[in-house]
């Protein structure tokens, strides 16, 4: 299955993409993750992307397109994927159509993960990743057991550099301006599905797989 996950930063796209990957085997393709790796490895592409990422702006369409083309052509993505964080504006959505035509593929759905704006702030401010297991956690919402399991496994709760209040506000503004019009883009193409994304990760996951007919 080939899906796009649409939704504001903090709507849970990464968490759900990880669940789809572990339960159904189609890989999470996250442009944010690919970019963070490029920044950490100080590649040319990473150096180009860093300033935009630190301020919560979008990295240039050209840079992200190069990355996504390469990633979608890798063997594990040929049978399916969930795109987490791509496309993020109208031009990227059109580029994606082109990439998929070249690969002889079609999207099955674009899932809009709908969350109230106020909830997003708390989700983003509390978001952490376990350095040992890579699990996404939240200091406000994860259970004590989940948080201590990370520490006991020898991990640290890492916070993303762009999960600070100023950058978060900008990322949400950029989302409203650039990305939210894609809801109409995919509605027009009869690919849009809407999943309420307010509950726990488990609840959202079961809504999502029901909606996609994977249950
Ligand atoms: P994310 O992990 O999806 O929240 O992305 C983190 C940051 O990476 C964003 O704030 C952007 O600066 C950059 N980024 C991720 N995906 C894209 C994209 N599709 N287009 C442009 N910039 C992106």
């Amino acid at each position: 299955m080939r899906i796009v996950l649409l939704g504001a930063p903090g709507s849970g796209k990464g968490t759900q993409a990880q669940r789809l990957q572990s339960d159904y085997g189609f890989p999470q393709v996250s442009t944010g993750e690919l970019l963070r790796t490029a920044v950490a490895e100080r590649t040319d592409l990473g150096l180009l992307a860093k300033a935009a990422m630190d301020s919560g702006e979008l990295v240039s369409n050209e840079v992200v397109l190069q990355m996504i083309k390469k990633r979608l052509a890798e063997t594990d993505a040929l049978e399916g994927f969930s795109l987490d964080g791509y496309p993020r504006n109208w031009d990227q959505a059109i580029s994606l159509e082109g990439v998929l035509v070249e690969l002889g593929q079609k999207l099955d759905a674009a899932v809009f993960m709908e969350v109230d704006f106020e909830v997003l702030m708390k989700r983003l401010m509390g978001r952490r990743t376990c350095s040992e297991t890579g699990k996404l956690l939240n200091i406000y919402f994860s259970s004590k057991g989940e948080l201590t399991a990370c520490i006991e496994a020898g991990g640290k709760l890492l916070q993303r550099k762009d999960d600070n209040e100023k950058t978060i506000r900008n990322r949400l503004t950029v989302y409203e301006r650039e990305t939210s019009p894609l809801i109409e883009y995919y509605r027009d193409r009869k690919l849009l599905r809407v999943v309420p994304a307010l509950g726990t990760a488990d609840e959202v996951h079961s809504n999502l797989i029901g909606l996609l007919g994977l249950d």
Side-chain angles (χ1 to χ4, degrees), residues 37-192:
T37 304
V39 170
E41 290 173 352
R42 297 173 186 273
T43 64
D44 290 349
L45 201 143
L47 294 175
L48 283 173
K50 187 175 183 318
M53 293 177 77
D54 285 349
S55 61
E57 292 295 321
L58 294 186
V59 173
S60 85
N61 288 343
E62 194 42 52
V63 165
V64 185
L65 178 60
Q66 269 184 43
M67 262 179 19
I68 206 84
K69 257 189 180 165
K70 192 162 163 250
R71 180 65 187 92
L72 291 185
E74 284 171 21
T75 329
D76 67 329
L78 294 178
E79 297 303 317
F81 52 75
S82 63
L83 277 178
D84 159 15
Y86 191 89
R88 250 177 160 96
N89 60 26
W90 202 270
D91 282 351
Q92 292 184 8
I94 290 170
S95 295
L96 176 62
E97 279 188 18
V99 173
L100 294 179
V101 168
E102 277 173 29
L103 291 168
Q105 298 176 355
K106 268 204 166 108
L107 277 184
D108 295 297
V111 179
F112 171 44
M113 305 194 38
E114 195 170 35
V115 185
D116 289 346
F117 209 70
E118 308 83 72
V119 177
L120 295 171
M121 207 63 206
K122 201 165 172 189
R123 281 199 181 168
L124 290 164
M125 295 290 292
R127 185 158 75 174
R128 302 288 186 276
T129 305
C130 178
S131 61
E132 198 57 31
T133 62
K135 194 172 161 71
L136 280 175
L137 298 164
N138 190 295
I139 55 168
Y140 302 119
F141 301 119
S142 297
S143 68
K144 211 164 173 215
E146 283 178 308
L147 295 170
T148 45
C150 170
I151 310 294
E152 281 167 7
K156 288 202 177 82
L157 296 173
L158 302 179
Q159 186 171 28
R160 269 169 52 172
K161 191 161 181 242
D162 58 351
D163 277 346
N164 63 76
E165 189 167 348
K166 185 166 174 242
T167 308
I168 288 171
R169 287 195 188 284
N170 195 35
R171 283 158 62 207
L172 292 173
T173 306
V174 169
Y175 167 79
E176 276 304 312
R177 190 182 62 227
E178 305 277 334
T179 313
S180 65
L182 296 184
I183 296 167
E184 291 315 313
Y185 180 96
Y186 285 113
R187 200 193 305 278
D188 288 348
R189 283 158 180 75
K190 312 263 182 286
L191 287 170
L192 189 74

